Amino acid sequence: MVQPLPCRPRRCPPASCLVFVLACCIALCRVPAVHGLPSTLRVLTGGGGGSRAFNCMPQPHRLQTSARFNNATVSLVYLRPSGAGEGCVKVLGGAASDGTATTIVIGSTFEFDGADLAAVNGSVAVLRGSSCPFSTVVDNSRFAPWRYYLNDYQTRVDAALKAGAVGVLWGEGVAGKIPESMSPFNQVVPVCTFEMAEFDALLTATGLASAAAGSSVAANTEATLMYRIEDDVIPNPPITYITVEERWKPGGPEGFTFPIPTFSATFNPPSHPGVEAPVVAADFVDECKKSNYADCTSCWARTAAGRNPFVTDLTKKIAFFAITDASEVGCYPSFNQWAIAAERAGAVATVHGTFSDINGWGVPGPYLVPFNISAPFFSLLKIHTDTVMTALAESASHPNHTLQLKTPPLVGGAGPTHFAETSKQYGPAPLLFWKSLDKHFICDAGQAHFSPSPWPGLPLPRDASGELVSALDANRVVVLSPSQACKGGSDGTSTCGACLLQQPSQQVSRAFTFIGKKTVELSLPLTGNGGLISTAFAMKTKFGNDIVAAIFVSDFDCFATYEQWVDVAVAAGAKAMILILQPGQQAGTIYGSVEVGEGKAPDAKESIPSFTVTNACGIRALLNAESIHVDIPAIGADGEVISGANAAAAGYTSVSTDSLEDTVLTVIEGPSSLCGGASKCLAGQARWNPKTYPAVHARMIAVQTIKACHSSLTCLACDAAASKPNSNGTLDKYTDFDGSPLTAESIKGAIVFMTERQMACLKPYTNALRDAQEAGALGLIIGNNANNTVTMAQSAVPFEIKIPAFNLADGVGEGFSQALKANKVVSIRLPRIESGVALTDGVFSVNDGTLVYGRGFEQLNPSPPGPSSSGLSNNDIIAIGVGNAAAVIFIVAGIAIYRWRRQRRMFTRNQTPMSTQTFVDISGGGLLGSAESERSDDLVSGRSTYRTAHAPTSSEQAKADIEMGTAKRGSGGRSMSTSTATIGTYVSSNQRGIPLFTEEEGGGSSSPGAS
């Protein structure tokens, strides 16, 4: 529950308008949002001083409460029809199927009494909507199909507004129609809409129906709140669970049971004990599957007469909506309408099986509805919709055992959490993959809250000298494939029940990897000698020590918790698990679940660590692999990865006890603005630099990678580009800053400058160093993303490093980048390295090999001597200087030693907490902000006549129409979630872990709840 805030205006920052805690979004004193309670109007009834509350649907308004409208006492004035009454405006439509002409209803004519119009000034207008059977707009898909009805509504509201009304109470003109959100635009004055029966009861209770013209009655509108989407509060916890009971299967008193995660609607009752009941498909009768407003009037009349609008009897059942097309619910386009229709038909709860994946799944709303809902409403993710639908079909062959669902108890509108409670978001973990000893890359992996802590890590084995073992036979990545039962549950050919009944060791049919570019596999589960053979022993024999299980999430769609994947990996004898996500999804922190009925602690730890990686990372590791190994860092006592050396290799900035002090690069030639106007720049060192290397005096050359190397999502294309010269002598992977091809000859003898922003696929950066070294460069300078320097390091390097690398803070590096892009000549001097550390002072000479001249200074070069003790070959050295050359003195005064706090580079997608996900339908065309109307005033009779008629034209620009549910058929619209931060990562900070999704993007779907 959101608590009331101090009574003072506050401005809502755009980035936080729809965050999980909505406290920042108020304009005036705010009444706390209450789940499932409607806006109510209270009026006095009879002469005994009693009162009665009437429920209505609040329309969008910039304020939740208004000083002129929301009061303990306001005057209600009924704008009654007068004169000739209402007329329906008809025009010729298209030809019918038999060729005869048709007419369509596009508006209405009506009159308000002059005395009522005069009296409503400063009061709240009470008026009835039209009873005309409005036609559907069909000639242009940009128009909402119910636009004529919406225009008529707005015209009547505008008429009251022009007469001076401070608010409007509007009653539906057709019996049985449930009010809805009529427009996405804020009304000028508060407007609340009623069902016809409720509106008639209001007129009767107040006596307004029979009162004299210009009469008024008193009402209390303090609780008649207006709707603002920022007031829609996500239940806390946001994700609860319902339990599926397949009673025809063995497993317990209720058969085979398992929980599936679900959202609770914001309009749910504040409290509910939970219910256990058979589930049935909620299929509307054909009469209610209409897109035409006029056709729907008979459906609504059916429900107004107390007849069931559903094909099946829902009495004491849980109604299950699995809507694949908007036409299936044409007359009931909103979630709250489904909920109340099912409840009035006898349902004890409603479950919406969405066909949305993680990007489109959200919290159904709005929280303010025109009735008291007592039966809770829940929303499922697509794969769980499939699970329930398959189980329903299967239960048909078991007539004595129906499928049942059990809903959770609700407190404050929310059920118990499905995922373990935790507020901590971990940063990425650098996993170093080795496809062979000369091919390696790093992936930013998501961490798991349920990983063991502390955990010693899984480093690649090394020999006594610290080098990697040449014949790696450990830390091999092995892919686990699903059993036939789990595969069938994932692709929809069978129910998930068969998969979930299997033991973890039975849920895998095959384990495979690549060794020497050959597929090596093991069929599972293993049986023999009359029993189950040790899978772990067989896996170790086949694949080596310390295997790491790799599992594609999409292969096990039946799994509802991360721990189920862990159980499979443990049963296969894995020492760690890597979950490979769907295409387009990004890795993030994942959370454990509170396993129903097992008494598991929310913070329970698993026996092996788990990580998530992007689909691109997983495919990158597996594609054309000679072998696949992974170096996994240790986990600290706090549960978070200790990044270690691979943190710097991945491009993270972190504090380390192994950091080296910054050194200095000296500008010899270049614009005066370099290094902030000084001649020296602070530069970060690399732990993997050569043990000994001379000072270097040479020109810089700008090198950039091709675009495929700029994003981790396109690394496969980057990997495919050759780093070594092709037949034309050019480097496929690298260009200059103008995009022109580079040759190894153009790099030879120079100091290469690159920016980290273009090196996403070259992590660890020794990949770039290797390519520069092979092209003959004398050094590598990297311009960082962050505005600080780092000590570059990694756990192992698969080749001999002969040239050094340094890095510059973002601002400093940008100066060099701009100068080189402008074709300025830039020459620098790199410091000498002794014992792996750069020397910041000393006298270096070409005589003793402590100084090397490179590109741009060839005139200083004598004939190259023999092999150098610096570690450079004759081919690497452009020149060893001349005898008696002037000594170069490096004097560094006041070098600041930076100790930077860890700055984890999180994901490229915004990590704003999950915001309110009320489903709204933004139609491609809809209601005008203020409907066109024609008004003629009869000064003699004191009446005003209105005409609401708007014939569609193909050139007209239509605006949007909100529905808290599915797009109406034929609207050409799209459903979307009104959220500042969609769930683009594997999880979000308030979503916990949702392991089930596909690559589908949100939007563009006409399915109810898709966004």
Side-chain angles (χ1 to χ4, degrees):
M1 298 282 289
V2 175
Q3 298 302 314
L5 295 173
C7 186
R8 63 169 185 257
R10 296 186 63 182
R11 185 172 181 273
C12 177
S16 58
C17 280
L18 293 174
V19 295
F20 182 68
V21 179
L22 299 167
C24 74
C25 292
I26 60 168
L28 293 174
C29 289
R30 171 126 151 240
V31 179
V34 178
H35 292 278
L37 297 185
S39 281
T40 58
L41 169 80
R42 188 165 289 279
V43 297
L44 295 175
T45 57
S51 65
R52 175 182 167 184
F54 296 88
N55 300 329
C56 57
M57 181 74 177
Q59 299 303 309
H61 194 264
R62 67 183 183 87
L63 303 178
Q64 191 185 49
T65 61
S66 167
R68 299 185 68 190
F69 177 78
N70 296 98
N71 284 289
T73 303
V74 297
S75 294
L76 306 184
V77 174
Y78 182 33
L79 298 184
R80 72 203 69 226
S82 63
E86 180 181 61
C88 298
V89 180
K90 300 178 181 180
V91 298
L92 287 177
S97 58
D98 60 1
T100 59
T102 61
T103 60
I104 59 174
V105 178
I106 64 171
S108 70
T109 59
F110 55 91
E111 295 179 356
F112 288 148
D113 191 280
D116 290 334
L117 286 173
V120 83
N121 186 27
S123 298
V124 174
V126 180
L127 58 93
R128 187 186 296 276
S130 176
S131 61
C132 290
F134 295 107
S135 300
T136 293
V137 180
V138 295
D139 67 332
N140 192 318
S141 62
R142 292 185 299 119
F143 290 85
W146 290 2
R147 183 179 174 195
Y148 300 139
Y149 158 76
L150 298 172
N151 281 346
D152 188 87
Y153 151 82
Q154 192 67 54
T155 300
R156 293 170 190 255
V157 170
D158 288 349
L161 175 63
K162 292 173 184 176
V166 298
V168 176
L169 304 180
W170 184 90
E172 291 283 1
V174 174
K177 185 185 182 305
I178 300 173
E180 55 196 287
S181 183
M182 307 290 271
S183 168
F185 308 110
N186 289 328
Q187 292 289 342
V188 176
V189 297
V191 179
C192 213
T193 58
F194 294 76
E195 291 187 72
M196 175 183 274
E198 190 83 345
F199 187 76
D200 288 343
L202 171 65
L203 294 180
T204 300
T206 58
L208 284 172
S210 57
S215 299
S216 66
V217 298
N220 184 331
T221 54
E222 289 179 306
T224 314
L225 308 178
M226 291 300 103
Y227 179 74
R228 300 185 309 164
I229 197 167
E230 58 261 39
D231 296 321
D232 237 322
V233 181
I234 290 182
N236 185 19
I239 296 178
T240 183
Y241 59 87
I242 59 177
T243 304
V244 180
E245 300 173 350
E246 295 180 319
R247 295 192 163 198
W248 59 93
K249 294 181 178 178
E254 307 301 332
F256 180 66
T257 65
F258 57 93
I260 52 178
T262 178
F263 275 128
S264 300
T266 62
F267 53 76
N268 270 345
S271 62
H272 191 273
V275 65
E276 186 175 12
V279 59
V280 296
D283 186 18
F284 282 108
V285 296
D286 290 343
E287 210 171 357
C288 297
K289 295 181 178 180
K290 307 294 183 181
S291 61
N292 192 310
Y293 180 93
D295 292 340
C296 283
T297 56
S298 61
C299 166
W300 298 326
R302 175 192 182 102
T303 58
R307 297 172 58 201
N308 184 11
F310 298 97
V311 174
T312 308
D313 181 13
L314 300 185
T315 304
K316 296 183 179 180
K317 304 291 198 306
I318 294 178
F320 180 66
F321 287 85
I323 307 302
T324 58
D325 190 277
S327 63
E328 297 176 45
V329 290
C331 300
Y332 293 91
S334 304
F335 295 124
N336 63 84
Q337 294 178 344
W338 301 358
I340 196 62
E343 181 177 319
R344 290 172 178 174
V348 293
T350 300
V351 174
H352 174 209
T354 79
F355 288 89
S356 300
D357 294 292
I358 195 65
N359 281 334
W361 193 37
V363 178
Y367 80 99
L368 289 177
V369 290
F371 28 68
N372 288 295
I373 292 180
S374 59
F377 186 102
F378 302 93
S379 174
L380 301 180
L381 196 60
K382 177 182 181 295
I383 64 99
H384 297 125
T385 299
D386 295 339
T387 297
V388 174
M389 290 179 68
T390 305
L392 269 173
E394 190 175 280
S395 71
S397 61
H398 299 272
N400 297 325
H401 299 282
T402 58
L403 177 70
Q404 294 214 154
L405 297 180
K406 183 178 180 180
T407 67
L410 301 181
V411 177
T417 182
H418 180 68
F419 293 99
E421 289 286 356
T422 179
S423 59
K424 187 170 184 180
Q425 181 92 351
Y426 291 151
L431 302 188
L432 181 56
F433 288 88
W434 296 73
K435 298 180 70 169
S436 65
L437 283 181
D438 63 345
K439 297 176 183 177
H440 65 317
F441 65 91
I442 277 180
C443 284
D444 295 332
Q447 303 184 48
H449 265 273
F450 48 82
S451 291
S453 58
W455 184 71
L458 205 60
L460 290 171
R462 291 166 176 75
D463 57 26
S465 65
E467 299 297 325
L468 285 180
V469 175
S470 57
L472 277 178
D473 193 33
N475 298 40
R476 201 179 299 277
V477 177
V478 178
V479 180
L480 303 182
S481 298
S483 65
Q484 189 60 42
C486 292
K487 182 177 183 296
S490 298
D491 61 24
T493 57
S494 66
T495 178
C496 281
C499 168
L500 298 177
L501 278 173
Q502 293 181 321
Q503 295 297 316
S505 60
Q506 300 171 316
Q507 290 172 323
V508 175
S509 64
R510 174 176 176 252
F512 72 92
T513 191
F514 302 102
I515 301 177
K517 288 197 172 181
K518 293 182 179 180
T519 302
V520 178
E521 62 181 316
L522 180 67
S523 295
L524 297 171
L526 298 170
T527 58
N529 299 324
L532 189 66
I533 298 173
S534 169
T535 301
F537 176 79
M539 294 282 283
K540 179 178 179 180
T541 302
K542 194 78 172 180
F543 303 116
N545 295 320
D546 300 333
I547 70 162
V548 176
I551 304 176
F552 284 88
V553 168
S554 57
D555 282 347
F556 292 87
D557 267 357
C558 290
F559 289 177
T561 67
Y562 292 109
E563 291 90 337
Q564 289 172 291
W565 277 288
V566 177
D567 291 343
V568 164
V570 170
K575 298 295 184 181
M577 179 185 71
I578 296 173
L579 284 176
I580 302 173
L581 309 185
Q582 296 271 13
Q585 303 299 323
Q586 297 185 4
T589 305
I590 57 177
Y591 300 80
S593 63
V594 179
E595 296 189 9
V596 182
E598 298 187 9
K600 180 181 175 182
D603 59 350
K605 301 293 185 180
E606 298 295 330
S607 59
I608 63 172
S610 300
F611 302 89
T612 61
V613 299
T614 63
N615 189 266
C617 172
I619 299 300
R620 189 182 186 192
L622 295 171
L623 190 66
N624 299 324
E626 296 178 5
S627 61
I628 318 166
H629 308 266
V630 63
D631 187 319
I632 303 178
I635 298 176
D638 62 352
E640 188 160 12
V641 157
I642 303 170
S643 298
N646 286 339
Y652 308 163
T653 300
S654 60
V655 176
S656 171
T657 56
D658 200 35
S659 295
L660 297 172
E661 293 184 356
D662 285 348
T663 187
V664 170
L665 306 184
T666 303
V667 178
I668 303 301
E669 191 176 9
S672 60
S673 59
L674 294 177
C675 298
S679 61
K680 295 179 174 59
C681 301
L682 290 177
Q685 303 188 55
R687 274 290 178 190
W688 30 256
N689 274 344
K691 294 298 181 183
T692 304
Y693 196 81
V696 175
H697 185 141
R699 294 262 174 90
M700 294 183 78
I701 180 173
V703 174
Q704 68 176 8
T705 58
I706 58 175
K707 288 185 178 180
C709 300
H710 298 181
S711 169
S712 60
L713 298 178
T714 54
C715 287
L716 291 177
C718 177
D719 291 346
S723 300
K724 297 181 180 181
N726 57 27
S727 58
N728 298 324
T730 58
L731 304 171
D732 292 343
K733 189 171 291 185
Y734 301 101
T735 69
D736 62 18
F737 275 8
D738 293 327
S740 301
L742 283 174
T743 64
E745 191 63 32
S746 64
I747 293 175
K748 188 175 182 180
I751 295 172
V752 169
F753 175 81
M754 301 179 70
T755 60
E756 186 181 359
R757 292 181 181 86
Q758 299 181 345
M759 302 171 69
C761 300
L762 297 185
K763 298 186 293 185
Y765 297 143
T766 48
N767 285 313
L769 184 74
R770 176 196 58 212
D771 295 343
Q773 178 174 292
E774 291 181 352
L778 296 184
L780 171 66
I781 306 296
I782 297 174
N784 293 338
N785 285 344
N787 202 26
N788 56 265
T789 59
V790 298
T791 296
M792 296 184 289
Q794 69 186 68
S795 57
V797 181
F799 59 91
E800 181 185 359
I801 293 178
K802 298 180 180 180
I803 65 173
F806 302 91
N807 62 89
L808 301 172
D810 180 38
V812 177
E814 184 62 21
F816 282 93
S817 179
Q818 293 301 323
L820 293 169
K821 284 180 180 179
N823 294 318
K824 303 293 185 182
V825 175
V826 179
S827 301
I828 64 170
R829 185 175 297 135
L830 303 180
R832 185 187 176 198
I833 297 175
E834 288 288 346
S835 301
V837 179
L839 302 180
T840 56
D841 56 14
V843 177
F844 309 137
S845 170
V846 294
N847 288 335
D848 57 11
T850 58
L851 176 64
V852 169
Y853 286 101
R855 175 69 60 82
F857 299 90
E858 291 84 356
Q859 70 277 11
L860 301 179
N861 296 335
S863 298
S868 167
S869 61
S870 68
L872 295 174
S873 68
N874 288 340
N875 290 332
D876 295 323
I877 301 176
I878 298 301
I880 303 281
V882 290
N884 300 321
V888 180
I889 303 176
F890 290 87
I891 302 175
V892 181
I895 297 179
I897 307 300
Y898 292 98
R899 300 297 184 193
W900 298 94
R901 298 183 64 183
R902 175 176 298 187
Q903 295 177 337
R904 297 184 190 88
R905 234 162 257 152
M906 298 300 290
F907 321 112
T908 56
R909 184 176 289 272
N910 179 14
Q911 291 294 301
T912 305
M914 169 64 190
S915 65
T916 300
Q917 288 251 322
T918 301
F919 290 155
V920 297
D921 160 34
I922 304 299
S923 298
L927 179 67
L928 293 175
S930 178
E932 286 191 9
S933 64
E934 300 171 8
R935 171 178 172 176
S936 60
D937 294 324
D938 185 342
L939 301 181
V940 176
S941 66
R943 296 195 298 266
S944 292
T945 303
Y946 299 84
R947 174 186 173 92
T948 66
H950 189 89
T953 61
S954 60
S955 62
E956 190 164 7
Q957 181 64 45
K959 296 185 180 178
D961 167 40
I962 279 187
E963 287 299 328
M964 297 300 173
T966 176
K968 298 185 186 71
R969 184 175 177 82
S971 68
R974 62 190 179 92
S975 296
M976 62 177 292
S977 172
T978 55
S979 169
T980 56
T982 56
I983 316 171
T985 56
Y986 200 40
V987 297
S988 75
S989 56
N990 291 313
Q991 282 285 107
R992 306 304 175 226
I994 309 300
L996 308 159
F997 46 71
T998 72
E999 62 186 309
E1000 297 171 2
E1001 289 295 328
S1005 173
S1006 62
S1007 299
S1011 61

